[in-house]
Amino acid sequence: MFPQVRMRRLRSGKIRDMVRETELSANDLIYPMFVDETIDSTVEVSSMPGVQRLPLDKVVDDAKDAADLGIPALILFGIPEHKDETGTSSYGEEDIVQQAVRAIKEDLGKDMVVMTDVCMCEYTSHGHCGIVNFETEEVLNDPTLDILGKIAVSHAKAGADIVAPSGMMDGMISAMRTALDEENFKNIPIMSYAAKYSSAFYGPFRDAADSGFQFGDRSAYQMDPANSDEAIREVELDILEGADMVMVKPALPYLDIIYRIKHEFKMPTAAYNVSGEYSMLKAAAEKGWLDENKVMYESLMSIKRAGADMILTYFAKDLARMLK
């Protein structure tokens, strides 16, 4: 009881640092990159200040910048020149992500862990994450699984260290694990977007990745923001199917989900600090309403404190510079 107990005794100088419970470092970060087959110079994403679409010949330089800042991993998203109803530009040997993976691994080797997003939305003409029945406007689960397996194998052949499926198709982890194992990629880990919510915070990403949908929405395959027990079931199923790491997306509105999943499963757990979370802080900082570095650090610290081992964030390079 006060005055014998004074909590402020531990809140100043070096003592404050010594008793800090949670540490945030560049080693916790995964840097998202957009590589665009349709451009020959860097293009700024208007709704995401500081984020660019990169032509193929710029991705290695950007990856080197991240490595020099101590960031250990990146995740690649591709924008193809050709889109069609079944996303055939997603799994070819010379498609854009496959070329980017080879270029980065040839230059940086083991100095950078290269992850790839495995989904169809960037490659389909309709913008949905799977095969579509146009009569009913339904995204078909089971026919999509074979294509996800092909994408994962093509990324592994190109040299990807980790594949990360994001389409929220039932059975996607099992399908990809089987496809990878059959092609002798038994040691390629899968990071599953296991608890991916149907969120309004994805808007700016769809500008960056050119992945807006032409009809309907994605609520039929992404999770209801009202549900938390469902997230536990989703994660458990993905683990049973062979996921090596799991992810919660978005991060800040779902800190409770990150906490529950980490404590329930004790699995390597990632959280995606998504485009809307990034853009709203950037916009407030540009207005002078918030201190950008301080709110960036506090936001990412909250994600780590909730239980995330890894954070995918567009702030990755900014935070790494600040920490240096």
Side-chain angles (χ1 to χ4, degrees):
M1 298 291 289
F2 178 83
Q4 289 80 15
V5 176
R6 293 178 180 266
M7 297 297 288
R8 290 180 58 186
R9 290 178 186 138
L10 304 182
R11 291 179 184 162
S12 61
K14 290 292 183 182
I15 297 174
R16 182 184 181 91
D17 297 338
M18 290 169 61
V19 300
R20 180 169 291 132
E21 299 171 18
T22 306
E23 295 290 339
L24 184 62
S25 75
N27 204 48
D28 300 319
L29 306 176
I30 298 170
Y31 173 51
M33 291 174 59
F34 299 95
V35 55
D36 188 340
E37 194 173 25
T38 70
I39 59 176
D40 53 20
S41 60
T42 299
V43 174
E44 299 291 327
V45 179
S46 60
S47 58
M48 299 177 69
V51 174
Q52 301 87 27
R53 289 188 189 183
L54 303 170
L56 183 62
D57 62 1
K58 298 293 184 184
V59 295
V60 171
D61 290 341
D62 200 35
K64 282 181 177 178
D65 288 344
D68 289 344
L69 288 166
I71 298 168
L74 58 83
I75 184 166
L76 284 169
F77 299 89
I79 298 98
E81 184 172 2
H82 171 73
K83 298 189 179 196
D84 57 34
E85 292 180 0
T86 57
T88 55
S89 294
S90 60
Y91 51 80
E93 184 176 334
E94 295 303 319
D95 285 332
I96 187 61
V97 165
Q98 291 78 355
Q99 291 188 65
V101 170
R102 286 197 299 271
I104 294 168
K105 294 306 292 185
E106 285 171 7
D107 201 290
L108 289 174
K110 294 182 180 180
D111 291 335
M112 178 60 72
V113 173
V114 175
M115 304 172 58
T116 56
D117 177 73
V118 178
C119 194
M120 294 175 62
C121 61
E122 298 116 290
Y123 306 93
T124 55
S125 52
H126 47 74
H128 279 285
C129 301
I131 302 295
V132 168
N133 179 333
F134 286 97
E135 290 185 5
T136 62
E137 295 190 347
E138 177 188 2
V139 176
L140 302 175
N141 191 94
D142 295 9
T144 300
L145 299 180
D146 180 59
I147 295 178
L148 296 180
K150 288 181 180 180
I151 299 171
V153 168
S154 72
H155 290 178
K157 285 181 177 178
D161 299 294
I162 299 170
V163 291
S166 61
M168 289 297 284
M169 297 293 116
D170 292 339
M172 65 183 183
I173 303 302
S174 178
M176 288 173 54
R177 185 74 272 161
T178 299
L180 288 165
D181 290 356
E182 287 177 350
E183 294 293 330
N184 203 30
F185 292 110
K186 295 179 174 64
N187 292 324
I188 297 295
I190 298 174
M191 174 188 278
S192 175
Y193 288 63
K196 181 178 179 180
Y197 284 85
S198 181
S199 172
F201 283 92
Y202 302 148
F205 173 90
R206 290 167 187 158
D207 291 340
D210 192 23
S211 62
F213 37 83
Q214 291 187 354
F215 58 85
D217 58 28
R218 292 175 179 157
S219 61
Y221 46 101
Q222 295 176 358
M223 287 179 52
D224 185 341
N227 294 352
S228 60
D229 289 343
E230 182 185 356
I232 301 300
R233 292 189 66 199
E234 282 278 11
V235 170
E236 182 177 28
L237 287 168
D238 283 3
I239 293 170
L240 292 173
E241 289 180 18
D244 301 282
M245 297 172 273
V246 295
M247 186 197 301
V248 177
K249 182 181 180 183
L252 291 175
Y254 299 93
L255 296 177
D256 59 320
I257 307 301
I258 298 169
Y259 179 86
R260 285 192 66 184
I261 287 170
K262 184 61 181 177
H263 282 260
E264 179 81 18
F265 299 106
K266 308 294 192 295
M267 286 283 289
T269 302
Y272 203 140
N273 178 228
V274 299
S275 59
E277 299 170 56
Y278 171 86
S279 294
M280 67 182 182
L281 295 187
K282 282 284 188 177
E286 285 185 356
K287 288 280 190 179
W289 295 340
L290 294 172
D291 183 307
E292 182 176 331
N293 281 346
K294 288 182 178 179
V295 294
M296 169 184 68
Y297 182 81
E298 187 176 343
S299 297
L300 298 178
M301 178 65 80
S302 76
I303 299 168
K304 183 76 184 295
R305 192 181 65 245
D309 303 293
M310 298 155 278
I311 304 171
L312 294 81
T313 179
Y314 305 98
F315 283 120
K317 290 169 78 171
D318 293 340
L319 180 67
R321 289 189 192 97
M322 191 184 82
L323 292 174
K324 274 199 168 188

